[in-house]
Amino acid sequence: MTFIRPGGQAEVGAVLGMLDRATEWLVAQGRTDQWGTEPHSTNPRRVEQITAFAESGGLWIAELGGRVVGALAVGDAMPYVPPATEPELYVRLLVTDPSVRGQQVGSRLLDHSRVLAKDLGVGLLRVDCFAGGDGALIRYYEGQGFTRAEPFAVPVKDSEWPGQVLIQRL
């Protein structure tokens, strides 16, 4: 059974490792446009981001058999997305280890985010994701009860990374 607990500095390496493995999985699928091909654990900006999530008190860890298999970070909306027009809880990160694909770890973490939002008295949960490729990630979140809101784009070198904000009313 998946156990969800608060995360902190001690889990930063485990979260970065999951991001690295997820990137390797995406690369093996030929889906390099989502996160590129380089490890997150060697990217100073990404290390700083995950460290900040851990320091914020908004990092949650999923364990299965005592092993870290998923991570959720919640808090304020990311700076690259349009602001909400009402109080919200924002899913800043959701990642699961590819080795537990199909075991509902991501679903359980999203359920936890819903509980956190309700405990805060917030009726809106938002998340953003990669909107390119075949749209599989958008469909995943729609399958979790989210609906599409506004698309956005993040400038990356000489192109744009396509994103989609999704919402769920609680």
Side-chain angles (χ1 to χ4, degrees), residues 74-97:
V74 295
D76 295 332
M78 301 302 283
Y80 52 78
V81 300
T85 58
E86 63 187 271
E88 69 172 340
L89 185 64
Y90 201 89
V91 175
R92 305 183 89 198
L93 172 73
L94 178 68
V95 63
T96 60
D97 194 290

Side-chain angles (χ1 to χ4, degrees), residues 3-21:
F3 173 67
I4 298 175
R5 63 173 175 77
Q9 290 297 319
E11 285 77 34
V12 169
V15 173
L16 289 165
M18 277 188 294
L19 288 164
D20 288 350
R21 288 186 295 283

Side-chain angles (χ1 to χ4, degrees), residues 31 34 127-151 162-166:
R31 297 165 58 184
Q34 181 173 335
V127 64
D128 72 80
C129 70
F130 177 64
D134 62 2
L137 201 48
I138 292 172
R139 288 192 304 279
Y140 170 79
Y141 284 111
E142 288 174 333
Q144 296 295 318
F146 287 83
T147 57
R148 294 177 201 210
E150 52 277 315
Q164 177 68 54
V165 175
L166 296 105

Side-chain angles (χ1 to χ4, degrees), residues 5-17 50-51 53-55 59 61 63 68:
R5 63 173 175 77
Q9 290 297 319
E11 285 77 34
V12 169
V15 173
L16 289 165
I50 302 304
T51 300
F53 291 164
E55 291 172 350
L59 181 64
I61 299 297
E63 289 185 342
V68 174

Side-chain angles (χ1 to χ4, degrees), residues 103-123:
Q103 295 184 40
Q104 306 303 311
V105 173
S107 296
R108 288 187 181 98
L109 286 165
L110 287 172
D111 286 345
H112 188 70
S113 72
R114 293 177 188 100
V115 170
L116 293 170
K118 288 178 183 176
D119 288 351
L120 291 170
V122 173

